[in-house]
Amino acid sequence: MSGNALLQELYDTPEAELLEEIRQLRARLGDKVLILGHHYQREEVIAFADITGDSLKLAQRAASTAAPYIIFCGVHFMAETADILTSDAQTVILPDLAAGCSMADMADDAQVNRCWQELADVISPDETVTPVTYINSTAALKSFCGEHGGIVCTSSNCERVLNWAWDRREKVLFFPDQHLGENTALAMGVPESDMIIWDPAKPLGGHTPEAIEKARMILWKGFCSVHQLFRPEHAASMRERYPGIEILAHPECSRAVCETADFTGSTEAIIRHVEQAVSGQAFAIATELNLVNRLRQQHPDKPVYFLSPTICMCSTMFRTDPQHLLAALREVESGHVAHPIRVSAEDSLWAKLALDRMLELA
Ligand code: SF4
């Protein structure tokens, strides 16, 4: 049966039957499979995850597991990262191959190589610039960083990684998310005048050679389409409606939102912050909807609101559903995985170097 026909059959199966089969299959497979679930996954999928976490925690878990099969309920770059960090004998499965990340798509290999060449017309990037890629990027960009003395970061360890990068070379080229780089650097005390935003559509990123020579932080013009929907006026309206409310923001939000927030941190940091708060404290949270809804359910004594009046959900994270998870588990049981995630040997080699540099710091 083709993949589409199988999925159609699963969509026609009553939900209770489908969930029961997942439960039984999961139990039969035991240690043969590890199911990783990103915090932004829907509840019905998270319910079956062996480990839930943000990109850093899941990358660490992928690096340490001996399970022959890893089903990564997340998006494409996460499954690639798991493949890079695991052995050739292990197989990584992304339940829905169409689960990508619009931010990761905002910087490709050709654009970043062109940027590096353009920088070479002005400065010597291999001597003066550390490339830092957010983990939300393709394996090719992680490989680029490994090859050019650079590193990977996540939203949990960005400050530590930037310190590492500036200890080595005077400048950082940060991609693909402008906001994580900008918000973290500002929090570290780097003045705005030391940063420029590189627009890959313009020659020299839209800058003069003098501006490039002066910059310490070159920020790629990329963003997360989900986190860009939060606005500072949403925070103002929440404060008016709920005096004493705390505003929590993910650093992929714009600078204006992070500046108005009481706390900015990764998904893991936001979860910890809510867990450690006193009973009765209210929160308005600027990050993906599934995580915010889960926090509301887990902490009925702490009113949790979604910061935006409109629904900001990661549509690609949402693609993974119980039907895709069951199809992946059936493949594991059959021993035939039609489309495993495989990163080329060359990209894996350099990308692993960049990831290992990060994991040593984490
Ligand atoms: S929330 Fe944003 S950065 Fe995260 S996977 Fe979705 S599009 Fe990519």
Side-chain angles (χ1 to χ4, degrees), residues 38 40 75 77-78 100-104 134 136 223-227 252 288 314-317:
H38 189 273
Y40 295 167
V75 292
F77 72 81
M78 297 176 181
C101 165
S102 56
M103 177 202 284
Y134 190 19
N136 300 27
F223 58 88
C224 164
S225 45
V226 178
H227 288 89
E252 286 173 21
E288 208 272 343
C314 180
S315 55
T316 49
M317 285 278 186

Short mmCIF file of all heavy atoms in Angstrom, two decimals, residues 38 40 75 77-78 100-104 134 136 223-227 252 288 314-317, ligand 1:
data_model
loop_
_atom_site.label_atom_id
_atom_site.label_comp_id
_atom_site.label_asym_id
_atom_site.label_seq_id
_atom_site.Cartn_x
_atom_site.Cartn_y
_atom_site.Cartn_z
N HIS A 38 8.87 17.50 20.31
CA HIS A 38 9.16 18.91 20.60
C HIS A 38 7.95 19.54 21.32
O HIS A 38 6.81 19.14 21.09
CB HIS A 38 9.45 19.67 19.29
CG HIS A 38 9.96 21.06 19.53
ND1 HIS A 38 9.11 22.15 19.69
CD2 HIS A 38 11.22 21.54 19.69
CE1 HIS A 38 9.84 23.23 19.92
NE2 HIS A 38 11.13 22.89 19.92
N TYR A 40 6.33 22.04 20.83
CA TYR A 40 5.29 22.67 20.01
C TYR A 40 4.36 21.64 19.33
O TYR A 40 3.49 22.01 18.56
CB TYR A 40 5.91 23.53 18.90
CG TYR A 40 6.68 24.74 19.40
CD1 TYR A 40 7.51 25.46 18.53
CD2 TYR A 40 6.57 25.20 20.71
CE1 TYR A 40 8.21 26.57 18.97
CE2 TYR A 40 7.28 26.31 21.15
CZ TYR A 40 8.11 26.99 20.27
OH TYR A 40 8.80 28.09 20.68
N VAL A 75 10.26 19.02 13.41
CA VAL A 75 10.37 19.45 12.01
C VAL A 75 11.71 18.97 11.42
O VAL A 75 12.56 18.44 12.14
CB VAL A 75 10.18 20.97 11.85
CG1 VAL A 75 8.74 21.37 12.17
CG2 VAL A 75 11.15 21.74 12.72
N PHE A 77 14.64 20.05 10.29
CA PHE A 77 16.02 20.30 10.75
C PHE A 77 16.32 19.52 12.04
O PHE A 77 17.47 19.17 12.30
CB PHE A 77 16.29 21.81 10.92
CG PHE A 77 15.61 22.44 12.11
CD1 PHE A 77 16.15 22.35 13.38
CD2 PHE A 77 14.44 23.17 11.95
CE1 PHE A 77 15.54 22.94 14.47
CE2 PHE A 77 13.81 23.76 13.03
CZ PHE A 77 14.37 23.65 14.29
N MET A 78 15.30 19.26 12.84
CA MET A 78 15.52 18.51 14.09
C MET A 78 15.87 17.06 13.79
O MET A 78 16.75 16.46 14.43
CB MET A 78 14.26 18.56 14.96
CG MET A 78 13.91 19.96 15.40
SD MET A 78 12.36 20.00 16.32
CE MET A 78 12.27 21.76 16.63
N GLY A 100 8.44 21.15 7.65
CA GLY A 100 9.67 21.95 7.54
C GLY A 100 9.63 23.11 8.53
O GLY A 100 8.85 23.11 9.48
N CYS A 101 10.48 24.10 8.29
CA CYS A 101 10.50 25.29 9.17
C CYS A 101 10.75 26.49 8.27
O CYS A 101 11.78 26.56 7.59
CB CYS A 101 11.62 25.15 10.20
SG CYS A 101 12.03 26.69 11.04
N SER A 102 9.81 27.44 8.28
CA SER A 102 9.94 28.60 7.37
C SER A 102 11.18 29.42 7.72
O SER A 102 11.82 30.01 6.84
CB SER A 102 8.68 29.45 7.42
OG SER A 102 8.41 29.84 8.74
N MET A 103 11.55 29.46 9.00
CA MET A 103 12.76 30.21 9.35
C MET A 103 14.01 29.54 8.77
O MET A 103 14.87 30.21 8.18
CB MET A 103 12.92 30.31 10.86
CG MET A 103 14.19 31.03 11.26
SD MET A 103 14.71 30.62 12.90
CE MET A 103 13.57 31.56 13.87
N ALA A 104 14.09 28.22 8.90
CA ALA A 104 15.26 27.51 8.37
C ALA A 104 15.38 27.73 6.87
O ALA A 104 16.49 27.79 6.33
CB ALA A 104 15.15 26.02 8.69
N TYR A 134 21.79 29.22 14.27
CA TYR A 134 20.72 28.73 15.15
C TYR A 134 20.45 27.29 14.71
O TYR A 134 20.54 26.96 13.53
CB TYR A 134 19.50 29.62 14.94
CG TYR A 134 18.35 29.46 15.90
CD1 TYR A 134 18.49 28.85 17.14
CD2 TYR A 134 17.10 29.98 15.56
CE1 TYR A 134 17.41 28.75 18.00
CE2 TYR A 134 16.02 29.88 16.43
CZ TYR A 134 16.18 29.26 17.63
OH TYR A 134 15.10 29.14 18.49
N ASN A 136 17.87 25.90 14.24
CA ASN A 136 16.78 25.91 13.25
C ASN A 136 17.37 26.27 11.88
O ASN A 136 17.15 27.36 11.34
CB ASN A 136 15.73 26.97 13.61
CG ASN A 136 15.10 26.73 14.96
OD1 ASN A 136 15.72 26.13 15.84
ND2 ASN A 136 13.89 27.20 15.12
N PHE A 223 13.46 35.31 10.15
CA PHE A 223 12.56 35.36 11.31
C PHE A 223 11.64 34.14 11.33
O PHE A 223 11.49 33.45 10.34
CB PHE A 223 11.71 36.65 11.28
CG PHE A 223 10.88 36.79 10.02
CD1 PHE A 223 9.62 36.23 9.95
CD2 PHE A 223 11.39 37.46 8.91
CE1 PHE A 223 8.86 36.34 8.80
CE2 PHE A 223 10.63 37.57 7.75
CZ PHE A 223 9.36 37.01 7.70
N CYS A 224 11.02 33.93 12.49
CA CYS A 224 10.02 32.88 12.63
C CYS A 224 8.65 33.49 12.36
O CYS A 224 8.26 34.47 13.02
CB CYS A 224 10.06 32.29 14.04
SG CYS A 224 8.59 31.33 14.41
N SER A 225 7.94 32.92 11.40
CA SER A 225 6.64 33.50 11.03
C SER A 225 5.63 33.41 12.17
O SER A 225 4.68 34.18 12.22
CB SER A 225 6.11 32.81 9.78
OG SER A 225 6.28 31.41 9.92
N VAL A 226 5.83 32.47 13.08
CA VAL A 226 4.90 32.34 14.22
C VAL A 226 5.19 33.44 15.25
O VAL A 226 4.30 34.21 15.64
CB VAL A 226 5.05 30.95 14.87
CG1 VAL A 226 4.13 30.81 16.07
CG2 VAL A 226 4.77 29.85 13.85
N HIS A 227 6.44 33.55 15.67
CA HIS A 227 6.77 34.50 16.73
C HIS A 227 6.70 35.96 16.29
O HIS A 227 6.63 36.85 17.13
CB HIS A 227 8.15 34.16 17.31
CG HIS A 227 8.14 32.90 18.14
ND1 HIS A 227 8.35 31.66 17.59
CD2 HIS A 227 7.87 32.70 19.45
CE1 HIS A 227 8.25 30.74 18.54
NE2 HIS A 227 7.95 31.35 19.68
N GLU A 252 12.72 34.50 19.88
CA GLU A 252 12.46 34.64 18.44
C GLU A 252 11.46 35.76 18.18
O GLU A 252 11.21 36.13 17.04
CB GLU A 252 11.90 33.33 17.87
CG GLU A 252 12.93 32.23 17.72
CD GLU A 252 12.30 30.91 17.32
OE1 GLU A 252 11.18 30.89 16.79
OE2 GLU A 252 12.94 29.86 17.57
N GLU A 288 4.64 29.55 20.91
CA GLU A 288 3.71 28.74 20.12
C GLU A 288 2.51 28.25 20.95
O GLU A 288 2.64 27.89 22.12
CB GLU A 288 4.49 27.55 19.54
CG GLU A 288 3.94 27.03 18.24
CD GLU A 288 2.88 25.98 18.43
OE1 GLU A 288 2.78 25.42 19.54
OE2 GLU A 288 2.12 25.73 17.48
N CYS A 314 2.38 26.92 14.98
CA CYS A 314 3.32 26.51 13.94
C CYS A 314 2.64 25.42 13.10
O CYS A 314 2.47 24.29 13.55
CB CYS A 314 4.61 25.99 14.56
SG CYS A 314 5.78 25.48 13.30
N SER A 315 2.29 25.79 11.88
CA SER A 315 1.49 24.87 11.05
C SER A 315 2.29 23.64 10.64
O SER A 315 1.72 22.57 10.41
CB SER A 315 0.96 25.59 9.82
OG SER A 315 2.03 26.17 9.13
N THR A 316 3.62 23.77 10.57
CA THR A 316 4.41 22.60 10.17
C THR A 316 4.58 21.64 11.35
O THR A 316 4.55 20.42 11.17
CB THR A 316 5.77 23.01 9.59
OG1 THR A 316 6.37 23.95 10.47
CG2 THR A 316 5.61 23.62 8.22
N MET A 317 4.74 22.18 12.55
CA MET A 317 4.77 21.31 13.74
C MET A 317 3.45 20.54 13.84
O MET A 317 3.41 19.39 14.25
CB MET A 317 4.96 22.14 15.01
CG MET A 317 6.36 22.66 15.20
SD MET A 317 7.40 21.38 15.93
CE MET A 317 8.89 22.31 16.21
S1 SF4 B 1 7.83 27.85 15.44
FE1 SF4 B 1 8.95 29.07 13.90
S2 SF4 B 1 11.11 28.49 14.14
FE2 SF4 B 1 9.85 26.92 15.21
S3 SF4 B 1 9.58 25.30 13.67
FE3 SF4 B 1 7.79 26.66 13.52
S4 SF4 B 1 8.39 28.17 11.90
FE4 SF4 B 1 10.27 27.11 12.56
#
